Each structure stands twice: as C-alpha cells, then as structure tokens.
Amino acid sequence: MTDPDFTPWLIPSDDFALYDALALLRASFQFMDARIDPPSSIHRLTVEGMREHCKDGGEIWAIGRPLFACMFLTPKPDSLYLGKLAVQEGLRGQGICRTLVDHAASRATELGLPALELETRVELTENHRVFSRLGFTIVNTGSHEGYDRPTDFLLRKTISLSADS
C-alpha cells in the first residue's frame, strides 16, 4: 500500500468539490452541536456562500480526491485567517491537520502576511491542545452577539517571513 497523497489543492469557485467540502464540514462539525453555545455557523454555510468566499479573495483548500480534508483561508490586513478546518473522521491523527496548517503558513508567506489566525470555541479544549502543539497561542477572547461571557478564543501563530518574500 502506498502512502496517501496529502498535497493540498485549491478548489475553484465553480468546482463540484465544494459540495463534497460542505458535506465533510457538516459531518466533521456535527459533534459540536451538543457542546457549544451558540450553535456553529456551519449550519448557515451553503455552497453559494463558499463560492462567494472564493470570489471575494478567500480560498478553499482540500486534500484528497475524493477530498478528506479541507480549510478556508481569508487574507486579513495583518494575518491569514484559517477557518473551517476539517479532517474526515478515521483519518485524524495522521498529520493531515499539520499539513493544512503548514500550507496555510506557506500561503501567508506568499501573501506577505506575518501570522496565521483562527478562532476556536471555548468549550472545545481538544482543539486548544491541537493548535497549541501546532504553534498557536491564545491572544484574545470574543463573545458572540447576545452573550455576556467569552464564547471563543482567537489564536495566532507568527510566521517567519523570509527576506525575499
């Protein structure tokens, strides 16, 4: 058996793979329903919204054909925002998340952005541990509209920009 190909590929805004990515995201985020408040924005995500994300300068990257991992990237003024990262259950623990984060860091470097940022819910302590091991630190807390307590953490990872980037 050969090693699976973990090379990220960019999903074009008109690619049918957006449907596969949405299905993967919904399946991967389903476990959160009983754990987080307010509910995940994944319930409002549509393929049309994903197309708009791509057309508005965002990127959706996948691994596998058929895809078994994906992430959204959104350039911000001083960082590249990494969102909606998902790895198919049964394939976790094989370094796929690290591959996606490393690819996001490469994209940040290509775009001249000095950091990666992401948000994770306060309740999802396993995500805090995973992203900490990948070099992220909590830099802020946030609250969803209508909540008087922190509901999410903002995590940041500094990227070393080379002199020629």
Side-chain angles (χ1 to χ4, degrees):
M1 181 174 173
T2 60
D3 289 332
D5 183 6
F6 289 173
T7 304
W9 57 278
L10 182 64
I11 302 177
S13 65
D14 61 350
D15 197 307
F16 191 80
L18 291 175
Y19 289 92
D20 297 332
L22 181 58
L24 172 65
L25 287 162
R26 287 188 174 154
S28 295
F29 282 47
Q30 187 174 12
F31 82 97
M32 295 180 200
D33 286 346
R35 295 184 54 198
I36 63 171
D37 182 37
S40 173
S41 63
I42 199 73
H43 299 291
R44 295 185 308 275
L45 186 63
T46 64
V47 168
E48 187 54 40
M50 295 166 73
R51 285 188 180 117
E52 288 304 313
H53 172 79
C54 296
K55 291 176 184 176
D56 290 342
E59 301 173 344
I60 301 175
W61 289 86
I63 296 179
R65 292 182 191 261
L67 66 87
F68 52 81
C70 66
M71 69 177 170
F72 285 39
L73 297 178
T74 308
K76 302 289 183 182
D78 68 341
S79 67
L80 185 60
Y81 185 82
L82 194 165
K84 304 286 190 267
L85 190 152
V87 176
Q88 184 177 315
E89 189 173 0
L91 295 176
R92 296 175 188 151
Q94 298 184 37
I96 298 167
C97 179
R98 178 177 297 279
T99 297
L100 287 171
V101 170
D102 288 348
H103 184 73
S106 293
R107 290 292 299 133
T109 299
E110 290 168 8
L111 296 169
L113 297 169
L116 293 177
E117 286 188 341
L118 60 86
E119 291 175 321
T120 185
R121 294 300 188 92
V122 169
E123 300 93 339
L124 301 179
T125 55
E126 65 276 21
N127 286 359
H128 310 164
R129 287 189 298 275
V130 166
F131 289 116
S132 175
R133 285 194 303 268
L134 294 173
F136 288 85
T137 56
I138 296 172
V139 296
N140 204 355
T141 59
S143 297
H144 286 79
E145 186 176 334
Y147 287 77
D148 61 359
R149 62 170 173 79
T151 56
D152 58 68
F153 292 124
L154 177 66
L155 286 74
R156 188 172 176 95
K157 177 180 179 167
T158 301
I159 306 299
S160 177
L161 297 175
S162 64
D164 58 345
S165 60

